[in-house]
Amino acid sequence: MFDLQTPPEPALAPGQEPPIAGLAAPAWDLTVGLIGATVQIDQNNGNGTRRVGAAFLIDAPRPDGAPRTVLVTAHHVLEGMAAPEARIGWRMEMPGGGWRFAPEPLRIRDESGAPAWTRHPDRDIAVMEISAPPVFARAAIPLGWLASGDDLDSWQVGPGDELLTLGFPRGYSSNTAGFPILRVGRIASWPLTPVESFPVFLLDFPVFPGNSGGPVFWTPAARKLPGTTQPDHPFIAGVLTSEVRPSDEPLGIGLVAHAVYVREVIALMDANRAVQGP
């Protein structure tokens, strides 16, 4: 019976190679996904230098359900850009598999100089709704993949676990197409929760200008301590905000604000918009 329901394989022409067996599509890899969703933002300082930061895109629908792309970065990155326009580093795929860097202006202040972004009242995190090219809108990370404090406890995330981060240290990218540089560090502080008591945590890796605003995340490619719970999907743990630098000597440690604050500031952006009206 089943043989009759299965269509016969087409006959091969003389000299034709048999087709390669199809493979099941792998689960979406947040590492590659976040590389696609992470962009450089920069502004010319006017003295031959430029201010550079990292940002990543979140798919955060509006309260009415309308689709929306939200840019997430460190507040000090945008605050330090005085001109009304910054530059966002889009990338364009070319025929043949190549890529090119295709930056465009990004309006970050209105005519009066007021910020176009919303900042978290207590943490160094800022968000703003943007109009992204379709390929980047599709690459935006689902809002649900921002970890909460409860998630970290459930997944037994703790000191010694590896997390990955993306950024543009010293303004460098991984290639001429403008893709971010992927780096790895280990959680260097304890406890991580409750988030209300421990709003930031430490990551053991050297931080440079251009890393600020980048996502800090976990995927199965990163290692967890033996015997601990393995999360059932990748997640964003937080936003890299600064380096720990008590004096002129850097410690090689980054400061990460929990991802729950990204959720909070997106909610604040929506609340402000509801008060201001359309």
Side-chain angles (χ1 to χ4, degrees):
M1 178 183 294
F2 291 107
D3 288 342
L4 295 176
Q5 293 180 359
T6 304
E9 292 292 330
L12 297 178
Q16 181 180 357
E17 294 291 333
I20 299 174
L23 298 176
W28 187 52
D29 184 347
L30 184 62
T31 305
V32 177
L34 259 173
I35 288 174
T38 300
V39 292
Q40 177 180 289
I41 49 177
D42 71 307
Q43 189 176 90
N44 193 328
N45 292 327
N47 57 0
T49 64
R50 60 194 179 107
R51 185 177 184 87
V52 180
F56 60 101
L57 307 179
I58 293 289
D59 178 14
R62 298 189 185 97
D64 64 2
R68 175 178 60 179
T69 303
V70 172
L71 179 141
V72 180
T73 188
H75 170 255
H76 76 265
V77 170
L78 295 174
E79 181 66 20
M81 296 180 176
E85 278 191 352
R87 190 176 69 154
I88 186 165
W90 303 129
R91 301 172 293 267
M92 180 178 295
E93 189 171 9
M94 306 298 291
W99 293 80
R100 71 176 178 87
F101 190 52
E104 292 184 350
L106 176 68
R107 188 81 180 186
I108 60 172
R109 299 179 186 274
D110 64 20
E111 290 75 9
S112 67
W117 68 87
T118 302
R119 67 165 298 181
H120 194 282
D122 302 313
R123 304 269 72 87
D124 187 10
I125 295 177
V127 301
M128 61 183 294
E129 181 176 344
I130 64 169
S131 177
V135 65
F136 280 91
R138 291 192 297 269
I141 304 302
L143 181 67
W145 284 30
L146 293 169
S148 68
D150 292 339
D151 290 334
L152 297 182
D153 287 338
S154 299
W155 298 327
Q156 300 177 11
V157 178
D161 285 344
E162 283 187 350
L163 294 175
L164 307 176
T165 186
L166 290 161
F168 302 89
R170 300 285 185 192
Y172 284 94
S173 55
S174 63
N175 45 47
T176 57
F179 283 94
I181 294 174
L182 176 69
R183 301 170 68 197
V184 64
R186 290 186 179 271
I187 296 174
S189 56
W190 175 260
L192 275 67
T193 60
V195 172
E196 295 79 8
S197 300
F198 304 97
V200 297
F201 63 90
L202 304 181
L203 194 66
D204 183 18
F205 88 110
V207 179
F208 301 94
N211 285 126
S212 293
V216 175
F217 59 101
W218 179 89
T219 74
R223 289 174 289 180
K224 288 188 92 277
L225 293 182
T228 57
T229 300
Q230 188 87 345
D232 57 4
H233 65 75
F235 64 87
I236 299 174
V239 180
L240 195 287
T241 58
S242 64
E243 66 174 329
V244 178
R245 195 182 183 101
S247 63
D248 291 337
E249 183 179 2
L251 298 182
I253 296 176
L255 196 68
V256 182
H258 282 285
V260 67
Y261 296 115
V262 178
R263 292 178 179 269
E264 289 183 359
V265 72
I266 290 175
L268 178 60
M269 177 176 64
D270 289 335
N272 291 343
R273 174 166 295 178
V275 171
Q276 295 166 0

